[in-house]
Amino acid sequence: MLDSKTQAGLRARYNPEGSELRRAQMRMLEMLKFIDAFCKEHGIRYWLAGGTLLGAMRHGGYIPWDDDTDIAMPRQDAERFKHLMLELHPHPDFVLQCHETDSGYYGFWYVLRDLKSEYVQDSNLHRRRKYRGLQVDIFPMESHQNRLLHRLASTLGYRLVEHPLLRSVSANVGYRYQLLTDCLFPAFRAIGRISASDKMSLGPGCPWYYTIATRDIFPLRTAEFEGYPFPVPHDAATYLSIVYGDWRKVPDTDSVKTHDTKFLFFE
């Protein structure tokens, strides 16, 4: 983890206390704490992933310029999480975004959305969604896909659902989405299960491909994130090295890529 002086310098430069981004991060922290309590109550496995895991292990919290939150779950846990969220509606301010709750959402992972905020984005993709609040992305992971199949699934997901030209000439995007999620992607998973593997990867349709050995994920342990303990992979260092390479090195100032995101808060 970075020393406190370096941390303070990064925070002062990119995300000082009282900034709009810091307020957004603290709201997403509340969302993450809700997920943690809900998963503990119902015996659902999850762990910090992506930039959120990187932030936990390198910064002890959010990367100063990060504006979303990432977690992962085994697919069976993600499906159970979805089922319980839709059945119980356990929080008045947060909603699970999936195609069942938002007909304008055609993602291949789930998103917990805040109902009291909104990302300000000039994007048709963004505007067509019902829910546009601060987010925690929930990525299902499963027995790892063949790289070629994963790339094919990702390409199909974009070309059949998200491609701007195809969307503009056809109103049948919902049918194409169902074709992928109900037919093709389950077939890809079945093919992947033919060869037993001790590795996991993101599910079909996710645009990022990497494989993590199950032993590097389980048993989960905890790490501090913004002063609270959250589950992380058993060997988080190896996990991050696979995803990011030299993850301990902070990017040079000139190469830091921020989203330049604006937020609205409704409270």
Side-chain angles (χ1 to χ4, degrees):
M1 189 179 297
L2 297 176
D3 62 80
S4 58
K5 183 178 180 180
T6 302
Q7 296 278 27
L10 289 170
R11 179 64 56 78
R13 181 179 180 85
Y14 293 106
N15 192 7
E17 290 296 332
S19 69
E20 190 179 64
L21 176 56
R22 189 59 177 163
R23 181 180 178 186
Q25 289 178 346
M26 292 299 95
R27 181 62 172 173
M28 290 186 291
L29 177 62
E30 293 305 308
M31 298 169 71
L32 193 56
K33 288 161 64 177
F34 159 74
I35 289 174
D36 184 69
F38 188 80
C39 288
K40 285 178 178 175
E41 179 182 358
H42 296 284
I44 295 171
R45 297 169 295 172
Y46 86 95
W47 58 92
L48 304 187
T52 307
L53 177 61
L54 176 58
M57 304 311 294
R58 192 173 71 191
H59 300 267
Y62 282 102
I63 298 172
W65 48 90
D66 204 2
D67 60 10
D68 65 1
T69 305
D70 304 311
I71 66 172
M73 296 179 181
R75 176 163 292 279
Q76 61 268 37
D77 293 74
E79 295 302 325
R80 186 160 177 262
F81 181 82
K82 171 187 170 181
H83 171 77
L84 289 171
M85 286 291 296
L86 298 186
E87 178 184 12
L88 301 176
H89 304 283
H91 199 287
D93 297 338
F94 308 144
V95 63
L96 187 71
Q97 186 176 46
C98 55
H99 193 58
E100 290 88 339
T101 62
D102 186 345
S103 61
Y105 178 73
Y106 295 101
F108 300 107
W109 57 90
Y110 306 131
V111 184
L112 186 72
R113 290 280 186 179
D114 178 35
L115 297 175
K116 293 188 174 182
S117 60
E118 184 175 327
Y119 290 101
V120 179
Q121 296 178 5
D122 185 17
S123 161
N124 289 330
L125 180 69
H126 184 66
R127 282 191 290 268
R128 77 167 186 240
R129 296 168 181 156
K130 178 180 179 181
Y131 301 116
R132 299 186 288 269
L134 292 166
Q135 69 190 69
V136 178
D137 288 317
I138 302 165
F139 294 105
M141 292 192 72
E142 52 200 78
S143 294
H144 99 270
Q145 296 282 304
N146 171 277
R147 180 184 290 271
L148 181 60
L149 280 180
H150 192 281
R151 183 175 297 173
L152 176 60
S154 179
T155 301
L156 287 172
Y158 173 73
R159 292 190 179 278
L160 294 182
V161 175
E162 300 292 359
H163 196 283
L165 178 61
L166 191 57
R167 284 189 53 77
S168 67
V169 300
S170 173
N172 294 324
V173 61
Y175 295 107
R176 299 195 298 270
Y177 179 79
Q178 294 302 128
L179 173 66
L180 291 173
T181 56
D182 295 349
C183 300
L184 290 181
F185 288 177
F188 287 0
R189 291 190 190 99
I191 294 171
R193 285 195 295 268
I194 292 174
S195 56
S197 171
D198 66 346
K199 294 183 177 181
M200 301 181 74
S201 68
L202 294 172
C206 294
W208 309 280
Y209 180 81
Y210 52 82
T211 62
I212 309 291
T214 304
R215 67 176 179 275
D216 292 331
I217 301 176
F218 301 109
L220 298 171
R221 62 184 183 88
T222 60
E224 187 172 287
F225 182 84
E226 297 291 350
Y228 296 90
F230 290 101
V232 299
H234 180 73
D235 189 346
T238 295
Y239 192 113
L240 288 169
S241 295
I242 291 170
V243 178
Y244 294 106
D246 186 7
W247 60 273
R248 292 180 176 86
K249 182 180 179 181
V250 178
D252 296 332
T253 301
D254 293 338
S255 61
V256 167
K257 292 181 174 60
T258 62
H259 293 169
D260 194 28
T261 304
K262 303 297 182 183
F263 311 93
L264 291 177
F265 297 96
F266 309 131
E267 57 180 12

